[in-house]
Amino acid sequence: MPMNASTQASRAIPIAGAGIVLGSYDLAAISAAFAPIRDQWHLSAGVVTSLGTATLVGMLVGSLAAGFLADRIGRRAVIVGDLLLFAFSALLAAFAPDFAVLTVARLATGVAVGVDFAVVFPFVADVVTSHKKGRSMAWILFGANFGTLAAYGLGGLILAHVGPLGWRVLLGSAALLALPLLVFRRRLIEAPSWSLLTPLTFGQLRRRAALAIRHEHLGAQALATLLYQVTDQGIGLVLPLLLVTMLQTSASSGAFDAALVKAITIPASLVAVVLIDRMSRRSLQITGFVGRAVPLCLLGLALVYDLHLSPLAIGLLLACSYFFGAAGPDKTTVISPSEYAAPEIRASSQGLSQASGRLGGIIGVTGYAILVTVAGPGAGLLFFGIACLLGAGVSLAALPRSNSNIARNGDDPL
């Protein structure tokens, strides 16, 4: 039986958050699988990382389509249907007979993950009270870190003990994790606040979203999201492979090392949860951008100039960059569209912002693949650091100084 409205708010956050955890697990799983896939089919680093690009292209398409669809027909049907696509595509990837089929499977998986990231946060913003929106969504993103860590840790174990075909087990495990979540999501009901709205037509949604991009800070935040995801998804999708290259370790060791680096995001995300309503989104975002840019630029320069760095120094610089990212723009760029936007275009705004982020991820992965081929990993890390500095500049110039504007726009139709 579907749950009643009185219990919706208390259960929506963990159920929605589980989908974001699952998406984060999947993105980390494919990055941990890059090295064994490369070795099995004798691919170059640039070719194998195109799987990351295919995933991000799918996420871009899924985010754009799902945002408008969820504002037109409701959130529940969309976040239930995407899990079916996710489970099917994960199984297809696990049994892919060649690289072409695997690429198609990853494209479909990306669509499913993009749908979830576009619709989950508007769904939560609909069902929780105004003063809890920011912190509730920050808690969801806090949980996402455990998905990434689980994929890196489990990936290391599977690759170490199963052997060359362990990447298939790792990718297939995501399908099994999707099944219980599907059961719980089918019991959700539509948020009463959305049900009371008169949905706009697709044409009205496009015009209303275009207005929000020009005049309601959505455009600036979408650009900041793009610049952040250049570095976050860019480095996230290549982190195990990057560590394998820099430290000359095995694929399983690269996955374990990535988990150690990524572990810093747990306390960093708790910092974000504490500060999200105590600092302005703008200040938190700028601090995170700058704090991520500095260690990435330092590590990039050290590699460009062939300065010897110990594994500990490399790990600390990467961990520092992850800490500041997770404590700032990793949260603010995701949750702000659902707070800025009026309820009738909340999912469309989130979808546009998320699509912008996926475009940033595509730029990040592709740019890194080109730079690492031409000039080595140091140039790729400098590229990520510069993107963060640009993100800090956009945030400084274009975002509101306080959170009061966000809260008002997030509650009242404009």
Side-chain angles (χ1 to χ4, degrees), residues 350-365:
Q350 186 75 28
L352 286 167
S353 182
Q354 286 295 301
S356 176
R358 303 320 156 201
L359 178 59
I362 293 167
I363 294 171
V365 173

Side-chain angles (χ1 to χ4, degrees), residues 122 153 189 247 251 283 286 323 328 335 340 363:
I189 61 173
L247 303 179
S283 298
I286 292 169
F323 179 90
I335 70 175
Y340 282 132
I363 294 171

Side-chain angles (χ1 to χ4, degrees), residues 226-249:
L226 182 150
L227 290 166
Y228 180 69
Q229 294 300 340
V230 165
T231 175
D232 193 61
Q233 290 195 333
I235 197 171
L237 283 169
V238 301
L239 181 59
L241 187 60
L242 173 67
L243 291 170
V244 168
T245 302
M246 287 195 298
L247 303 179
Q248 296 297 302
T249 61

Side-chain angles (χ1 to χ4, degrees), residues 206-220 352 398:
R206 287 195 298 270
R207 290 191 292 274
R208 185 64 184 82
L211 183 65
I213 289 173
R214 292 195 300 271
H215 300 298
E216 298 166 17
H217 306 294
L218 178 60
L352 286 167

Side-chain angles (χ1 to χ4, degrees), residues 43-105:
L43 305 170
S44 68
V47 170
V48 77
T49 54
S50 68
L51 289 173
T53 303
T55 305
L56 293 172
V57 169
M59 292 178 72
L60 189 156
V61 173
S63 296
L64 277 177
F68 287 100
L69 187 63
D71 275 335
R72 186 73 183 94
I73 70 170
R75 287 67 155 118
R76 178 191 173 275
V78 178
I79 62 173
V80 170
D82 80 306
L83 283 177
L84 294 172
L85 175 61
F86 180 90
F88 171 78
S89 58
L91 286 175
L92 180 61
F95 291 99
D98 53 41
F99 188 76
V101 173
L102 179 58
T103 302
V104 172

Side-chain angles (χ1 to χ4, degrees), residues 7-321:
T7 61
Q8 175 82 329
S10 62
R11 299 188 185 186
I13 294 174
I15 293 173
I20 302 302
V21 172
L22 181 61
S24 299
Y25 176 92
D26 175 79
L27 291 174
I30 188 59
S31 69
F34 280 164
I37 292 172
R38 178 195 61 185
D39 295 341
Q40 178 177 340
W41 285 322
H42 308 292
L43 305 170
S44 68
V47 170
V48 77
T49 54
S50 68
L51 289 173
T53 303
T55 305
L56 293 172
V57 169
M59 292 178 72
L60 189 156
V61 173
S63 296
L64 277 177
F68 287 100
L69 187 63
D71 275 335
R72 186 73 183 94
I73 70 170
R75 287 67 155 118
R76 178 191 173 275
V78 178
I79 62 173
V80 170
D82 80 306
L83 283 177
L84 294 172
L85 175 61
F86 180 90
F88 171 78
S89 58
L91 286 175
L92 180 61
F95 291 99
D98 53 41
F99 188 76
V101 173
L102 179 58
T103 302
V104 172
R106 290 306 305 172
L107 181 68
T109 302
V111 170
V113 175
V115 170
D116 226 54
F117 271 81
V119 183
V120 159
F121 296 102
F123 180 80
V124 172
D126 286 343
V127 300
V128 300
T129 57
S130 175
H131 67 282
K132 294 182 179 180
K133 291 186 194 302
R135 182 162 292 188
S136 296
M137 290 186 279
W139 274 118
I140 289 174
L141 290 165
F142 168 74
N145 295 300
F146 290 96
T148 304
L149 285 173
Y152 285 152
L154 184 62
L157 288 172
I158 290 174
L159 295 177
H161 292 93
V162 175
L165 299 182
W167 65 267
R168 296 184 181 274
V169 177
L170 180 60
L171 296 185
S173 65
L176 296 178
L177 294 174
L179 296 179
L181 179 57
L182 180 62
V183 173
F184 285 108
R185 279 200 176 170
R186 289 184 70 251
R187 300 180 64 196
L188 289 172
I189 61 173
E190 198 66 71
S193 60
W194 184 87
S195 300
L196 294 174
L197 294 173
T198 301
L200 303 178
T201 67
F202 285 118
Q204 290 172 326
L205 285 170
R206 287 195 298 270
R207 290 191 292 274
R208 185 64 184 82
L211 183 65
I213 289 173
R214 292 195 300 271
H215 300 298
E216 298 166 17
H217 306 294
L218 178 60
Q221 192 64 296
L223 179 56
T225 302
L226 182 150
L227 290 166
Y228 180 69
Q229 294 300 340
V230 165
T231 175
D232 193 61
Q233 290 195 333
I235 197 171
L237 283 169
V238 301
L239 181 59
L241 187 60
L242 173 67
L243 291 170
V244 168
T245 302
M246 287 195 298
L247 303 179
Q248 296 297 302
T249 61
S250 66
S252 60
S253 295
F256 281 128
D257 292 338
L260 290 175
V261 170
K262 184 70 175 178
I264 195 67
T265 60
I266 301 300
S269 294
L270 286 175
V271 170
V273 169
V274 171
L275 296 180
I276 197 73
D277 290 325
R278 300 185 182 188
M279 291 177 63
S280 70
R281 304 286 192 271
R282 178 176 179 265
S283 298
L284 197 59
Q285 189 161 300
I286 292 169
T287 301
F289 267 127
V290 174
R292 168 164 278 203
V294 171
L296 287 177
C297 287
L298 289 175
L299 182 55
L301 287 171
L303 293 175
V304 166
Y305 288 101
D306 202 25
L307 301 177
H308 175 71
L309 292 177
S310 67
L312 178 61
I314 292 171
L316 287 175
L317 285 170
L318 288 172
C320 184
S321 73

